[in-house]
């Protein structure tokens, strides 16, 4: 994917990796839950595809550097969300993908890097 660094968006294009934690806050103002192990655990993620704006206008920004309906410039759909997940914000840092993930992406992904 293209880097959008410097525009307020992390460079998280297709086939990128990151690590992060869920924050006890929802994008739509719903009350956050109390203490939960969900917010203490660091998880690794892999971006398997991009967020298409058409048909998903509320969550996916229309263009690079713009925000979605909730003011976010990034949006992740979790294929296997952890127990207790409910569209919480996710604070993350882009990281290098492991060799194993790179290999799997090169043979399985239909993304263009």
């Amino acid at each position: 994917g293209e880097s959008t660094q410097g525009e307020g968006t992390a460079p998280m294009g297709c086939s990128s990796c990151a690590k992060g934690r869920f924050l006890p806050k929802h994008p739509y103002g719903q009350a956050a839950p109390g203490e939960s192990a969900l917010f203490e655990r660091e998880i690794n993620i892999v971006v398997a595809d991009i967020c298409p704006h058409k048909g998903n206008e509320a969550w996916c920004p229309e263009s690079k550097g713009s925000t979605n309906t909730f003011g976010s410039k990034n949006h992740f759909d979790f294929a296997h969300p952890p127990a207790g997940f409910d569209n919480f914000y996710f604070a993350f840092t882009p990281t290098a993908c492991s060799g194993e993930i790179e290999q799997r992406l090169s043979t399985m992904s239909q993304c263009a890097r």
Side-chain angles (χ1 to χ4, degrees), residues 13-51:
C14 201
S15 300
S16 297
C17 294
K19 64 180 178 180
R21 298 177 189 274
F22 288 103
L23 303 175
K25 182 178 177 185
H26 292 101
Y28 37 80
Q30 180 181 346
E35 295 291 318
S36 172
L38 174 69
F39 306 118
E40 298 172 16
R41 183 176 154 218
E42 184 174 83
I43 63 171
N44 295 305
I45 64 168
V46 178
V47 178
D49 62 13
I50 59 169
C51 191

Side-chain angles (χ1 to χ4, degrees), residues 26-99:
H26 292 101
Y28 37 80
Q30 180 181 346
E35 295 291 318
S36 172
L38 174 69
F39 306 118
E40 298 172 16
R41 183 176 154 218
E42 184 174 83
I43 63 171
N44 295 305
I45 64 168
V46 178
V47 178
D49 62 13
I50 59 169
C51 191
H53 179 71
K54 186 174 181 180
N56 203 9
E57 290 83 2
W59 292 104
C60 300
E62 185 170 9
S63 59
K64 180 172 69 171
S66 63
T67 60
N68 66 16
T69 302
F70 304 101
S72 296
K73 294 185 178 185
N74 293 90
H75 170 72
F76 299 118
D77 284 326
F78 288 85
H80 300 285
F85 174 77
D86 183 26
N87 284 326
F88 297 109
Y89 280 106
F90 185 70
F92 64 94
T93 301
T95 61
C97 295
S98 70

